[in-house]
Amino acid sequence: MMITHLVFDGVADGPMGVALDIVGAAARVVRAGLVALPKGRQAPRQRVVSMDGEPVRTAAGRTLAVDGAPALRGMGAGDVLVLPGLGMATAPELSAALERPDIVRGVELVARAAAKGVLVAASCSATFVLASARVLDGRRATTT
């Protein structure tokens, strides 16, 4: 299973760190033999990507290195695309962010990924990217 964290400029530092820590801990537990996976399954792997493959600035102003740009080729059922919180606190900030070219492209990517059977998830304000991609239509969702 590949877990891909898609980040944008302004990503919230906390949700990004928590997501990396949770997946990393799960992988360590599996590699230590503390959990048996079904035959043929491996410990989760993860990567961090940005739309252009370039580092992003976090909400705290730190540079976050990424592993490249997202690629849907090779992703499918069993893979996960996660969008950590956008680090925006107000509705006007969020509305403006959803009009940024990188996030517009991200919305399109999320829609294509979901159509391929990739599980999509988001934390905090990034749930609005999922809503913009229409993957939440007819479903309940919650956010902080």
Side-chain angles (χ1 to χ4, degrees):
M1 166 194 305
M2 175 61 76
I3 299 173
T4 301
H5 305 272
L6 175 59
V7 296
F8 300 98
D9 276 322
V11 64
D13 298 69
M16 181 72 254
V18 168
L20 290 171
D21 284 348
I22 289 170
V23 175
R28 287 190 303 277
V29 166
V30 169
R31 284 193 302 270
L34 300 174
V35 172
L37 294 179
K39 188 173 182 141
R41 299 301 291 263
Q42 297 177 349
R45 297 172 294 132
Q46 62 182 334
R47 62 189 178 139
V48 178
V49 300
S50 67
M51 288 306 297
D52 62 4
E54 296 296 321
V56 299
R57 295 294 272 174
T58 71
R62 298 183 183 281
T63 300
L64 177 64
V66 300
D67 300 311
L72 289 180
R73 174 176 270 161
M75 288 182 72
D79 293 314
V80 183
L81 178 63
V82 179
L83 284 72
L86 299 175
M88 285 136 198
T90 68
E93 286 177 313
L94 186 56
S95 291
L98 291 172
E99 294 178 10
R100 287 183 3 207
D102 60 330
I103 294 181
V104 169
R105 288 191 319 276
V107 166
E108 293 166 1
L109 179 82
V110 166
R112 289 193 328 266
K116 282 188 71 165
V118 174
L119 178 64
V120 295
S123 64
C124 304
S125 55
T127 56
F128 291 94
V129 175
L130 298 186
S132 294
R134 305 192 60 94
V135 298
L136 298 180
D137 287 1
R139 297 181 173 164
R140 289 183 170 200
T142 188
T143 189
T144 56

